[in-house]
Amino acid sequence: MLFTPSETKVVIVGGGTMGADVAAVCARGGCAVQVMEPTTERRALLPDYFANTMTDLGYEHRLHLLSTAGSLEEIDWSEVDLVIECVPERLDIKQELFAKLEQYAKPEAVLASNSTSFPISDISAGLKTAARMIGLHFFMPAHLVPCVEVVYGAKTSPMVGESLSRLMTACGMVPVTVKKDLPGFLANRLQHALSREAFAMVDAGIASLEDIDKAVRFGFGFRYIAAGPAMQRDHAGLDVHGAGGATIYPTLNNSPDIAKCLSDRIASGKLGMKTGEGFYSWTADTMKAERERYQEALREGLKIIQKDLPQID
């Protein structure tokens, strides 16, 4: 199995923000991409979104590779090489979809899930062709964040994972292989380890949310654009890290429960920008300004690491 972008037909199931951005990633690499979005209103917005996104990425010449469909039945499955599921994060929805895909897609087509949490082994449970099913986890916004996790299920064929990693590299992404299918995969486990400690310190009155955000952005987090934790330890010295760990590890939070500052807000319906308040308060104007600042910061970050990223033909 070998994916060559110019010869690869991709179907994205779900045309929400994540699905639309994943489609742009595949199209910029040269894949022909069809986005299946059943909602008429959302589907009508996709052409303009694609035009703006591809222009922003500098690949407007590949806009013609993007198209839409309103149902699985509208797709010519004989031509499809890869399906990427980007439907709502509910296991029953994903399982039902994969059961249908197993029937629609030709036997050699790869079926991938962008699930953020459900193991591909659970999504593909009971299906006959689980060897071709794999996790392909992007990070929002997918067209700006270069990393993508290639997550092997218990039955995933290594050839499927290797071929998908090569395709993602050709599309300008940086694939990381997750060899065992566990909750949160790789990056989300690291993120949650940080968040658990951060929010525990808020509960304990050690620091404010604002100061924690500053410590990450302007302190150790700033260095992550240059090197990951293993490379940073080589810079600093493993003996220094080992000595610090011996002192710090016994006092780190290891509770199986989420922090009170988080659970209280969830219980009160304070879910972030979507409800106007989360850890911070939001108005339409401040949300717009923050989203623009956030996107611009990601674009500037991309410029810094551009020479470290795979080049697209």
Side-chain angles (χ1 to χ4, degrees), residues 187-250:
N188 273 339
R189 291 180 72 87
L190 296 174
Q191 286 190 108
H192 276 272
L194 167 62
S195 296
R196 178 167 65 177
E197 183 61 30
F199 298 149
M201 287 195 288
V202 172
D203 280 356
I206 294 169
S208 68
L209 290 162
E210 292 81 2
D211 281 337
I212 284 174
D213 277 355
K214 291 175 185 176
V216 174
R217 283 193 64 209
F218 303 110
F220 70 90
F222 176 73
R223 301 183 304 189
Y224 282 156
I225 201 165
M231 182 65 75
Q232 284 183 11
R233 298 292 80 77
D234 267 7
H235 277 278
L238 304 190
D239 54 334
V240 175
H241 179 74
T247 301
I248 297 169
Y249 287 4

Side-chain angles (χ1 to χ4, degrees), residues 75-206:
I75 296 167
D76 181 357
W77 289 99
S78 66
E79 298 183 352
V80 177
D81 304 296
L82 169 65
V83 185
I84 304 174
E85 165 269 305
C86 295
V87 301
E89 194 70 2
R90 274 181 45 187
L91 182 58
D92 59 332
I93 294 176
K94 294 178 186 293
Q95 288 175 327
E96 181 181 356
L97 173 62
F98 267 70
K100 290 180 179 178
L101 293 176
E102 187 175 48
Q103 300 302 314
Y104 281 116
K106 58 189 180 184
E108 63 270 27
V110 172
L111 307 181
S113 172
N114 183 53
S115 174
T116 60
S117 57
F118 296 120
I120 191 64
S121 298
D122 290 350
I123 295 171
S124 62
L127 299 181
K128 297 178 180 179
T129 61
R132 62 167 168 164
M133 300 178 184
I134 194 166
L136 190 65
H137 179 227
F138 295 81
F139 301 87
M140 292 183 67
H143 64 301
L144 294 180
V145 181
C147 187
V148 59
E149 294 178 310
V150 181
V151 188
Y152 288 54
K155 297 182 179 180
T156 301
S157 165
M159 184 181 297
V160 168
E162 292 163 8
S163 298
L164 202 49
S165 290
R166 286 195 294 269
L167 178 65
M168 288 296 100
T169 300
C171 291
M173 300 297 288
V174 178
V176 295
T177 300
V178 185
K179 300 176 182 178
K180 294 186 178 181
D181 201 5
L182 75 171
F185 315 135
L186 191 161
N188 273 339
R189 291 180 72 87
L190 296 174
Q191 286 190 108
H192 276 272
L194 167 62
S195 296
R196 178 167 65 177
E197 183 61 30
F199 298 149
M201 287 195 288
V202 172
D203 280 356
I206 294 169

Side-chain angles (χ1 to χ4, degrees), residues 212-289:
I212 284 174
D213 277 355
K214 291 175 185 176
V216 174
R217 283 193 64 209
F218 303 110
F220 70 90
F222 176 73
R223 301 183 304 189
Y224 282 156
I225 201 165
M231 182 65 75
Q232 284 183 11
R233 298 292 80 77
D234 267 7
H235 277 278
L238 304 190
D239 54 334
V240 175
H241 179 74
T247 301
I248 297 169
Y249 287 4
T251 67
L252 289 175
N253 180 272
N254 64 356
S255 172
D257 301 315
I258 62 174
K260 189 174 186 299
C261 67
L262 178 60
S263 61
D264 284 354
R265 284 173 170 80
I266 294 172
S268 300
K270 298 177 180 179
L271 307 180
M273 290 185 182
K274 65 174 72 176
T275 59
E277 185 176 356
F279 286 127
Y280 300 96
S281 295
W282 302 100
T283 65
D285 288 341
T286 59
M287 275 190 283
K288 181 176 183 295

